[in-house]
Every structure is written in structure tokens, then in C-alpha cells.
Amino acid sequence: MFLSQPGNQLCIMCRQDGLLNPGTMRMDGSLETNPRRIGLVVDHITPHRGDKRLFWDSSNWQPLCHDHHDITKQQEENRGFVGGSDINGRPIDSDHPWNRTR
């Protein structure tokens, strides 16, 4: 149901990179050739970690392609911060070790 709604038919992270991906491409823009990886995934913005309330909270959902879900999002969750930097090269995520006060 969620992925059939008009605002949820493209990968959020691909769209931020300027790519309109309905789940038929890899995050680099090449066509996905593995039939099991074609389509979008409903991702939990905040990991639910078994919390059923958070799992079923649709305001915690976002559409992602398989690459962004299985690669980028997993790396962010394992590291504990989102990658990326501002125009000056400073990390954008306040949880990045560079931004933590000592």
C-alpha cells in the first residue's frame, strides 16, 4: 500500500542525488539486472529494533531502492552517523565524531 502512493514511488536517496529511480536502477544509475532486487523497499527511517509500534508507524517509513537500503542505510546504521559533508568539508551529521565535543 505504502509504495503504491504517489509520493512513495521513487527512492528518496536516489532523488536527493538527482536520479529518479522507481526501483529499476542501481544507485549509480545503471539498470538493475537481478530480478530479485528490482523494486523499492519500505525502509524504517529510525530502526525499529523489534519495537512493533515503531515498525508499524507509517510516518517512520521511506521508499528506498535495494542498493540504498542494503548498502548506504546499513553503513549509516552500523557507523552511527550519516555520511556527507558541507561545502567546507565539515561532516553534516551532528553525530559524526568530528562534531562531537570532547
Side-chain angles (χ1 to χ4, degrees):
M1 265 320 230
F2 176 77
L3 295 174
S4 68
Q5 297 171 357
N8 301 327
Q9 295 178 352
L10 298 171
C11 172
I12 293 282
M13 291 183 173
C14 284
R15 199 165 46 187
Q16 290 171 346
D17 293 336
L19 181 65
L20 300 179
N21 182 4
T24 57
M25 295 180 264
R26 299 182 53 84
M27 64 182 171
D28 66 2
S30 62
L31 287 178
E32 179 58 71
T33 57
N34 183 341
R36 287 177 274 185
R37 293 181 58 83
I38 293 175
L40 295 172
V41 177
V42 177
D43 175 63
H44 295 89
I45 300 165
T46 301
H48 61 84
R49 308 220 191 280
D51 179 340
K52 290 183 181 183
R53 180 193 58 76
L54 196 55
F55 181 87
W56 291 109
D57 180 1
S58 61
S59 67
N60 188 41
W61 298 348
Q62 65 182 352
L64 294 181
C65 66
H66 282 271
D67 275 4
H68 274 118
H69 181 263
D70 298 347
I71 300 170
T72 308
K73 189 71 188 289
Q74 296 303 316
Q75 288 174 343
E76 290 172 0
E77 288 179 14
N78 290 334
R79 284 189 311 229
F81 59 88
V82 176
S85 57
D86 65 15
I87 194 167
N88 298 312
R90 295 185 185 100
I92 56 174
D93 191 330
S94 61
D95 290 331
H96 188 282
W98 178 270
N99 293 325
R100 293 183 188 145
T101 57
R102 299 174 197 242

